[in-house]
Amino acid sequence: EVQLQQSGAELGKPGTSVKLSCKVSGYNIRNTYMHWVNQRPGKGLEWIGRIDPANGNTIYAEKFKSKATLTADTSSNTAYMQLSQLKSDDTAIYFCAMMGYGYFDYWGQGVMVTVSS
Amino acid sequence: DIQMTQSPSSLPASLGDRVTITCRASQDIGNYLRWFQQKPGKSPRLMIYGATNLAAGVPSRFSGSRSGSDYSLTINSLESEDMAIYYCLQHNEYPLTFGSGTKLEIK
């Protein structure tokens, strides 16, 4: 069974960084792209970017290019997203997801990031 | 960026109704369109892929269709478990873009 297990809730102060993890079991992340999506409180889904764990290539939505950094460790089958220079507007739930061909589609449970002083 | 204009934003409906949600793409996306269902506190669940294909385990009362740049999700004979927010997603090109969501609720 494929599972994506995300790290626990984060509380970050403005101006600091947090690093979220997404550990995959049941599937080799080298064989897919890992996407990250956010959802601000009461709002819709927003695509942040994706990484190809096989070679580290990344693509970001324009607004997240200086906000998010995606990495992956194929030895531990884990993807990461670092969010930098946190602002209150970064308060959201962050999902990792593997979306591939056809109905290949798996999501993590989401992690709440709260930015507050 | 490709804009996905989703309508309606809210859809009150009764159990047993047939409902349709639509996303209009601002550029050609072929059939690279997915529909997701999201319930409170849960991750999105894939319902339709390739614009018209039912994902594994999704009830047959759900269907997807395409007419030009308009993509629709139809639910026949609405059940209480279908009450949720639905999003479309285009994955034809980067950045991927979601529709703004449709909240399906009991009238």
Side-chain angles (χ1 to χ4, degrees), chain A residues 14 74 83 88 96 110:
Chain A
T74 55
L83 299 171
S88 59
C96 59

Side-chain angles (χ1 to χ4, degrees), chain A residues 26-68:
Chain A
Y27 194 81
N28 189 334
I29 64 172
R30 285 181 162 270
N31 298 325
T32 187
Y33 293 156
M34 187 66 72
H35 298 260
W36 292 84
V37 172
N38 79 353
Q39 186 167 40
R40 293 183 171 85
K43 302 299 183 182
L45 302 169
E46 184 175 30
W47 184 79
I48 295 170
R50 71 92 170 133
I51 184 168
D52 180 350
N55 55 28
N57 287 347
T58 54
I59 299 177
Y60 298 92
E62 187 65 34
K63 68 181 287 188
F64 290 102
K65 282 184 177 177
S66 58
K67 171 63 62 180

Side-chain angles (χ1 to χ4, degrees), chain A residues 70-82:
Chain A
L70 306 184
T71 56
D73 178 1
T74 55
S75 66
S76 64
N77 225 35
T78 303
Y80 300 92
M81 178 172 68
Q82 179 164 311

